[in-house]
Each structure stands twice: as C-alpha cells, then as structure tokens.
Amino acid sequence: MTSQSPKQFLLSLPKWIIICALIGILSGSASAFFLVSLEWVTQYRIHHDSIIWLLPLGGFLVGAGYHYWGESVVKGNNLLLEEYEKPKKVIPFKMAPLVLLGTLLTHLFGGSAGREGTAVQMGGAIADQFTKLFKLDNSERRILIILGISAGFASVFGTPLAGAIFALEVLYFSKINFKSIVLSFLVAYAAYFTVEFWEIKHTHYSIPVVPELSFSNTFYIILVGVLSGFAALLFSRSTHFWGSLFSKNIKYPTLRPVIGGIVLAIAIAGLGFTKFSGLGVPVIVDSFSNQSEWYDFLLKILFTGFTLGAGFKGGEVTPLFFVGATLGSALSAFIPMPIALLAGVGFVAVFSGATHTPLACTIMGMELFGIEPGIFIAIGCTIAYFSSGSVGIYKSQIVKGAKYKLYQKFHKKELQNL
C-alpha cells in the first residue's frame, strides 16, 4: 500500500478530477458505441442465422488483425494486470479499436463470448494515454489503469459501485491508496452517467420473492455457492485448456480461430446449438422465471471456452452470468427456494469465483437485484470465492487475501501451484 499526505492529495485533486472526467466521458462514450453496435450485430445474426456458417471467415479476420497489427495487445485484460503490477510501457491505444472490432466480428458470426473484456480493455487503453499527456510516473500510471478498468466495467454493465470496487479488488488492493479509491468511484460514476446521457439501456433483472433467512435457506444458498464455485473453476480451466491446446498444436496464430470457427459453425448452426452463441442474454432472462435444463451451464462453458481459446475476442463475464443463472435455475428442481433468487445468486456467485472478487460481485448483485436478497447474494459470492480454486479467468491476476491464506493453511504450498 502506498500513502500520500492529505495536503499532497488536495493539491493533486484538481488534476485528477479532470483526468477522471476525461476518462469517464471517453470510456463511457466508447462503451455506449460498443453496446449499440453489439446490439445491432446480434440482431443481424438472429435474423440471418445462416451467417454463423461464416464463422471461419470471422475467425480469419480476428486472427489476422491481431497477428499482424495487435501482437503487443493480444493479452487483453492480462496486459492491464501485468502493467499494473510491473509498469513497463504505455498500453498502445490500438488495443481499443482492435478489441472492439474483434468482439463485434465474434458476435456477428455467432461466437460464444461476452463484452466486459472489451469495455475494460478500451477503458484501460484510453486511460493509459494520459500518462504522457500529464507526465505521470509509474505509481500514477497504476491509478490510470484502475480508472480504466473501473470506467469500462461500470459503463458496460450500468453498475458504478461494482465497477469501482471491481477495479480495486481484481488487483487485490495492492499498491492502492486512498486517492485511488476515491478516484475509482469518481470515474465509475462519470462513465456510468455518460452511458446514461447517450440513452443506452441495460438489461433489467428482478427477484420478486425473497424468503426469510433461516437455517435451511442458508444451507441451500451455501450449496449453491459451492456449486457455483465449482462451475467457475470449470469455466476458468476450460478457457485456459482450449487456449493452450490451440497454441501448442497450431503454430500460426491466424489459423487458430479459422479452425475454431469451422468447429463452432458445425456445432452451433449444424447441430442446432444457437442458444449458446453470442451473449445469451435472452436465456439468462428466461432462467429467472423458467427452469433451465441441467446441461445448459455446461454447454455454455464448453462453447465459451472453445471460442475464446481459439482466439476470438470478447469478455468472459456475461457468459459467466449465463453459467451461473442457468445453474441456479436448474437447481430449483431440487432446492425449495424461489427460482429467481437461485438464478440471481448463481448469476453473481460464478462471477465471484472466476474473478476472485466477492465484494464487487456482492455489490453488483444488490445493484442489479435490489437490497432485499443482499444477504443471500453475499453468502453465495463468498462461498463461491473460496470454493473456486486458485485459477481464475485472468492468468496474470495475483490471488491474495483470505483465499490465499486459507489455501496456504490447508495445503501448505504456494496458491498458484494448487
């Protein structure tokens, strides 16, 4: 943890308020454009589903773009985490347009991916450009990266509190001072209100019935949390497995998403698994009122892991929402609790386990679903966090805190080796 005197903080505050405003407006506007574009390509694919057969072409365009122009930014979110931990050089601005186009192509042709990674990378790339403009040192660069992550996350999901906390928590609160915390919240709201200004609508979810907190209900939610943690572990391992498999066996990077696109096109269009293409938001919404099939969450893990592992672009978080919501919904066949509550807890708990961010996910759950189910959401996110293993979706994330200490105590070895 770094520190700064109150006087130094106050003297530097005007500069940072200007920076936050600029990052918030620019990142929020970028996210607004991205969300509108994403909705357009999604609707186009839905009404022209035969375009899924062109996934290999989409894979070629994405693969070639990154191989010839984006090799320095291909690590995506992991690059942001690495630059935060060990600052070396300013993140190239080209990360923003490359991930934007790559994600839109992935969704246009029907790949299974999310959107958070795109918004966070755009936010991070935009924010880091202020390093040279304001002549910032490495400690100040770290603040910029926090601001970029916060702005991207808050704007794409419409959850400013969760966005601000996620940016801090995903970095395990390392090298973070009071100024970082204040500015993270400031930029999150700036980005959030920018998206509101552009009149972009976010998906709304509802948990209409919340039962009382009893011993039996607590037990059931703990069970959901454990299973959500296992699902998060499976998701993370799956994504890393497919990425490793493609990189080891196909040396030419451009060819990886082409071959992956052929397999995906046959599976999605040829075998009729179109519900697992794209974000899958309609399936998520439906899971809150209708019981999902027991295998839905497993197939989403498979399709998303394969899509991203092959080299297509997009985030992991919305697919994690899909996995968690459909898992919770399917569990309503065995757990005597409201289906919407189970889907909602799974929604954020799997995300918590896969990113090691239980606090941010708890806050996000309450921002999305209201305060009433807050205690159940907190229990589910915490249990999933502890039961999801040591490997999350971000390879470069350093896992510290309560999970690290618990795993050290029981396994007597380094967490990253578990």
Side-chain angles (χ1 to χ4, degrees):
M1 300 272 291
T2 58
S3 60
Q4 187 179 45
S5 70
K7 183 178 180 180
Q8 290 175 317
F9 173 69
L10 290 174
L11 288 174
S12 65
L13 192 56
K15 175 184 74 174
W16 283 103
I17 290 177
I18 293 172
I19 292 174
C20 284
L22 292 172
I23 293 174
I25 292 170
L26 293 173
S27 296
S29 297
S31 289
F33 176 78
F34 169 55
L35 290 172
V36 170
S37 303
L38 183 59
E39 177 64 18
W40 186 88
V41 298
T42 299
Q43 291 301 318
Y44 186 89
R45 186 191 71 244
I46 291 172
H47 293 98
H48 305 83
D49 56 5
S50 59
I51 198 175
I52 294 175
W53 288 108
L54 296 179
L55 255 172
L57 173 61
F60 172 78
L61 295 174
V62 174
Y66 272 86
H67 180 60
Y68 292 106
W69 298 290
E71 193 171 352
S72 62
V73 296
V74 72
K75 290 183 178 180
N77 287 350
N78 287 304
L79 179 60
L80 299 179
L81 299 179
E82 290 173 8
E83 281 297 324
Y84 179 86
E85 181 61 25
K86 296 179 180 179
K88 294 180 180 177
K89 59 181 181 179
V90 174
I91 296 168
F93 179 74
K94 62 183 176 181
M95 171 184 270
L98 277 172
V99 74
L100 172 64
L101 292 173
T103 302
L104 293 177
L105 287 169
T106 297
H107 284 278
L108 173 64
F109 294 107
S112 177
R115 56 192 173 184
E116 131 283 339
T118 306
V120 166
Q121 289 173 51
M122 290 194 299
I126 290 169
D128 210 15
Q129 304 313 305
F130 290 98
T131 298
K132 295 179 179 178
L133 182 62
F134 286 88
K135 297 180 173 59
L136 305 180
D137 59 26
N138 281 341
S139 65
E140 293 174 313
R141 262 201 75 207
R142 290 191 173 99
I143 297 177
L144 285 182
I145 292 174
I146 291 172
L147 299 184
I149 294 173
S150 176
F153 193 99
S155 58
V156 80
F157 290 123
T159 54
L161 287 176
I165 295 171
F166 177 81
L168 302 169
E169 193 175 17
V170 77
L171 300 167
Y172 66 93
F173 296 98
S174 172
K175 306 178 182 70
I176 288 171
N177 53 30
F178 177 73
K179 181 168 73 175
S180 303
I181 298 171
V182 172
L183 297 178
S184 183
F185 280 91
L186 181 61
V187 77
Y189 275 96
Y192 167 75
F193 283 118
T194 298
V195 173
E196 291 288 297
F197 171 80
W198 291 115
E199 298 183 348
I200 306 300
K201 304 299 180 183
H202 298 282
T203 305
H204 292 283
Y205 305 92
S206 174
I207 300 178
V209 179
V210 179
E212 64 178 12
L213 183 65
S214 63
F215 177 81
S216 59
N217 287 338
T218 302
F219 171 78
Y220 290 137
I221 291 298
I222 290 175
L223 177 60
V224 173
V226 170
L227 294 176
S228 295
F230 291 165
L233 186 152
L234 183 60
F235 186 101
S236 300
R237 300 276 183 175
S238 172
T239 304
H240 300 326
F241 168 78
W242 289 114
S244 177
L245 186 69
F246 273 97
S247 62
K248 286 181 179 179
N249 293 283
I250 305 174
K251 299 303 179 182
Y252 184 47
T254 302
L255 195 57
R256 295 169 194 163
V258 174
I259 294 175
I262 293 171
V263 176
L264 285 169
I266 293 172
I268 294 174
L271 301 180
F273 288 113
T274 53
K275 70 185 288 187
F276 301 103
S277 63
L279 293 172
V281 171
V283 178
I284 298 174
V285 173
D286 183 67
S287 70
F288 278 73
S289 55
N290 299 299
Q291 183 182 314
S292 300
E293 299 291 346
W294 66 268
Y295 51 79
D296 281 351
F297 80 99
L298 290 171
L299 288 177
K300 189 62 174 178
I301 289 174
L302 174 62
F303 279 104
T304 304
F306 190 89
T307 298
L308 298 177
F312 286 92
K313 295 300 171 181
E316 299 93 345
V317 173
T318 304
L320 285 168
F321 294 161
F322 184 116
V323 170
T326 54
L327 170 61
S329 180
L331 289 173
S332 65
F334 312 100
I335 296 178
M337 295 186 75
I339 186 172
L341 177 63
L342 294 174
V345 170
F347 183 108
V348 286
V350 173
F351 177 31
S352 170
T355 57
H356 312 297
T357 56
L359 179 59
C361 293
T362 298
I363 298 299
M364 184 178 202
M366 289 189 281
E367 283 189 285
L368 291 174
F369 311 128
I371 299 297
E372 293 78 10
I375 184 63
F376 293 111
I377 290 169
I379 293 171
C381 288
T382 302
I383 297 299
Y385 162 70
F386 282 111
S387 60
S388 61
S390 60
V391 179
I393 56 176
Y394 308 129
K395 280 186 175 182
S396 297
Q397 183 181 16
I398 297 176
V399 183
K400 292 289 185 180
K403 174 185 278 193
Y404 180 85
K405 294 177 181 178
L406 179 67
Y407 280 43
Q408 287 277 58
K409 179 178 180 181
F410 283 96
H411 293 272
K412 304 297 183 184
K413 54 184 173 179
E414 290 300 314
L415 183 61
Q416 54 265 34
N417 295 327
L418 297 179

